[in-house]
Amino acid sequence: MGLLDNVERGIERVVRGAFSHGAKAEVQPVEIASRLRRELDNKAMTVDAGRTLAPNIFDTRLSGPDFERAQEWGSSLAEELCDVVIRHVNSQNYTVQGPVRVSFTRDTDLKAGVFEIKSRTEKSGGSPAQSAPRQQRPNAPARQPTQLQPVLDMNGQRYSLNAASIILGRSSEADIMVDDTGVSRQHLEIRSESGRTRAVDLGSTNGSYVNGQRIDGEVDLTDGATISMGRTKLRFRLLPARSGGRG
C-alpha cells in the first residue's frame, strides 16, 4: 500500500464521524483528496527543462450540508488534505511558489454530494506567510497569523532552525551532522532572517537540490520543500512555534 493510500485511509478514519450521517449523497474526504491530486496534475505547467509549476492555493467549494460537516472538524481536515497536496507535489517533483493552503467555502448552488475545487498559484511574500490551512467561515473575523518556526526533518529527527545560520555537512563541527559519504564536510547553509529562509550551497562536490532542482547560489525555502544532499533527503517545514525543536 502506498504512502498516499495510508494518508487517505487516515483522513477517512479521522473524519468518518463528521461525514457519516445525514443525506445519502455526501462528499467523502477521500474524494476531495483524489480531486486535489487530479487538480495538481491538470494545472501543473512546465516552465523550463526539469521545472514544473503547480498551484499551492486550493478552495474546496461545498454544498450547505457538506460544508456544515466539514466545519465540524475545522482546520483538522484541511491540514490532512494539505499534507496530501504536499506529498503529491514532492512525489511528482512539482514546484510551488508559496505555502500550501486548503480551505472550504459554502456554495449554495451546489447539491449535497457535489463539490468543486478552484486552485491558483500564490507567491510567498518577504515575510512568513501563514501556512497552516484554515477553514473559511461566513462573516468570521480574520485570525491573527500564527508565529511559524522553520524546522528540518531528517531520518526521523526534527531540527529546529533557531539560529540565523545553520551549517549542514559530514564534519563533526557542522551544526547538523549528515552521515553520508556523498555529502561534503561543509555542504549546505540554511540562513534565516527577516522571516525568510534560504538554502545556500557551500561549494559542495556533489551539489545540493531543492525539489529536484540544483541550487545555483541560493534558493528560498517554502513549506514542504525537499532538500537533497548525496543520498540524504531532508524536508523543510514551517510549523507553529510551540511545535519546533529537535525530536
Side-chain angles (χ1 to χ4, degrees), residues 27 31-32 35-36 38-39 58-63 66 102-107 109-111 113-119:
V27 174
E31 295 179 275
I32 301 176
R35 186 81 64 84
L36 284 168
R38 189 160 67 246
E39 181 75 7
F58 302 86
D59 178 23
T60 305
R61 308 185 72 84
L62 300 166
S63 68
D66 287 320
V102 176
S103 61
F104 300 100
T105 301
R106 184 198 304 270
D107 189 333
D109 292 334
L110 295 177
K111 296 180 179 179
V114 177
F115 68 99
E116 298 177 354
I117 292 179
K118 296 184 181 297
S119 64

Side-chain angles (χ1 to χ4, degrees), residues 2 4 8 16 58 96 121 134 145 194 198 209 211 227 236:
L4 285 175
E8 290 179 6
R16 186 178 292 124
F58 302 86
V96 293
T121 297
R134 296 172 297 166
S194 303
R198 293 168 290 162
Y209 299 78
N211 294 332
I227 301 172
F236 175 79

Side-chain angles (χ1 to χ4, degrees), residues 13 34 38 42 57 60 71 87 94 117 169 180 186 207 229 233 235 241 246:
R13 182 176 60 255
S34 178
R38 189 160 67 246
N42 290 341
I57 306 297
T60 305
Q71 233 183 356
R87 292 179 191 278
Y94 293 152
I117 292 179
D180 184 336
Q186 291 195 346
M229 304 161 49
K233 291 186 181 296
R235 189 181 183 194
R246 178 175 174 171

